[in-house]
Amino acid sequence: NDFENLMSIYLSDDGLFNYQAFIDDVDRAFTQPGLEREPLTVIDMPGPQHTIAARRDPMRLTASKLSKIGYLEDKIRTFVTKRRCEMKPMFQDFDRCHKGYITRTQFARIMSSMGMDLDEMAIAYLCNRYCDLGNHTDINWKKFLATVDPPPMDVETAMNELTSPFIAFKPRPYFDTRGKVISKSRSSPMLTKVM
């Protein structure tokens, strides 16, 4: 197991656990040793691909469970589309801390108040899919909404443009690297005449 592996790596000759070596290795994973001597050094932070395992713990599902969950998602998606239900405000009302999670009971209450009466088994299947914190009670409602009530393509494009960094318009260069004027045909090849 993990504890025995750690013991085999950090066990010193006198039979004691070398805690200092363990701490040094843990620190090296998150920072650079001797940083206090070089305070202007830039350190690369771990990216999302390195920290995803600590943030999400999805449950492993069999093919039969995935097909049942897919059926439920289709059923809810059809219900939402036909009735033109606005689901997001209901989930936001229950998520007071804005963490993106609600409890299983709150989820069942939202579904019931929308007129989507799901039995306990259906709620359990959806919990298996959308409880990604390693428990069976906290549902990732943002992930659920992205599946059953995705925004229209134009709204999604607008949100991406709104949240992406600003890129200023950059006109084509008038001069080349030597300072000479670039001819119109080289600077904008689309404007050349086709003969």
Side-chain angles (χ1 to χ4, degrees):
N1 67 30
D2 293 337
F3 181 73
E4 291 171 359
N5 290 338
L6 281 174
M7 287 298 291
S8 67
I9 294 170
Y10 295 105
L11 199 63
S12 61
D13 295 335
D14 57 0
L16 298 175
F17 185 78
N18 189 344
Y19 189 70
Q20 187 61 48
F22 173 71
I23 293 298
D24 290 342
D25 285 346
V26 170
D27 282 344
R28 251 190 303 280
F30 296 101
T31 188
Q32 179 179 341
L35 189 61
E36 63 277 357
R37 285 182 238 118
E38 298 175 24
L40 298 178
T41 303
V42 177
I43 298 175
D44 295 330
M45 296 298 292
Q49 68 274 12
H50 295 99
T51 60
I52 190 74
R55 292 182 285 132
R56 299 286 181 263
D57 187 17
M59 296 177 203
R60 291 175 186 85
L61 302 171
T62 62
S64 65
K65 278 189 178 180
L66 285 172
S67 67
K68 290 176 184 175
I69 292 168
Y71 170 75
L72 284 170
E73 289 170 345
D74 288 340
K75 184 178 171 184
I76 295 170
R77 193 178 302 114
T78 304
F79 180 85
V80 168
T81 305
K82 282 184 178 178
R83 294 212 180 172
R84 297 182 182 168
C85 300
E86 191 68 34
M87 297 179 76
K88 188 173 182 178
M90 299 179 86
F91 285 103
Q92 287 174 329
D93 287 344
F94 281 98
D95 185 16
R96 302 264 179 194
C97 298
H98 306 290
K99 292 185 178 182
Y101 290 90
I102 59 171
T103 65
R104 180 182 181 142
T105 309
Q106 291 170 334
F107 180 77
R109 191 184 306 169
I110 290 170
M111 292 289 117
S112 177
S113 68
M114 287 178 48
M116 185 81 198
D117 292 322
L118 300 174
D119 62 347
E120 189 59 36
M121 187 59 83
I123 298 288
Y125 280 130
L126 291 170
C127 284
N128 285 337
R129 173 77 169 183
Y130 296 104
C131 291
D132 59 3
L133 291 179
N135 59 27
H136 291 278
T137 57
D138 295 324
I139 295 177
N140 185 340
W141 65 266
K142 291 183 179 181
K143 185 177 171 185
F144 173 74
L145 279 187
T147 304
V148 300
D149 190 20
M153 191 56 118
D154 55 343
V155 172
E156 193 170 344
T157 303
M159 288 304 296
N160 287 338
E161 289 175 359
L162 184 67
T163 57
S164 65
F166 175 72
I167 300 172
F169 172 72
K170 192 173 185 181
R172 291 191 175 269
Y174 186 70
F175 298 101
D176 65 5
T177 55
R178 293 189 219 158
K180 296 191 178 195
V181 176
I182 300 174
S183 68
K184 212 175 202 184
S185 63
R186 277 188 28 209
S187 66
S188 50
M190 297 299 288
L191 298 177
T192 58
K193 289 185 180 180
V194 178
M195 295 189 180

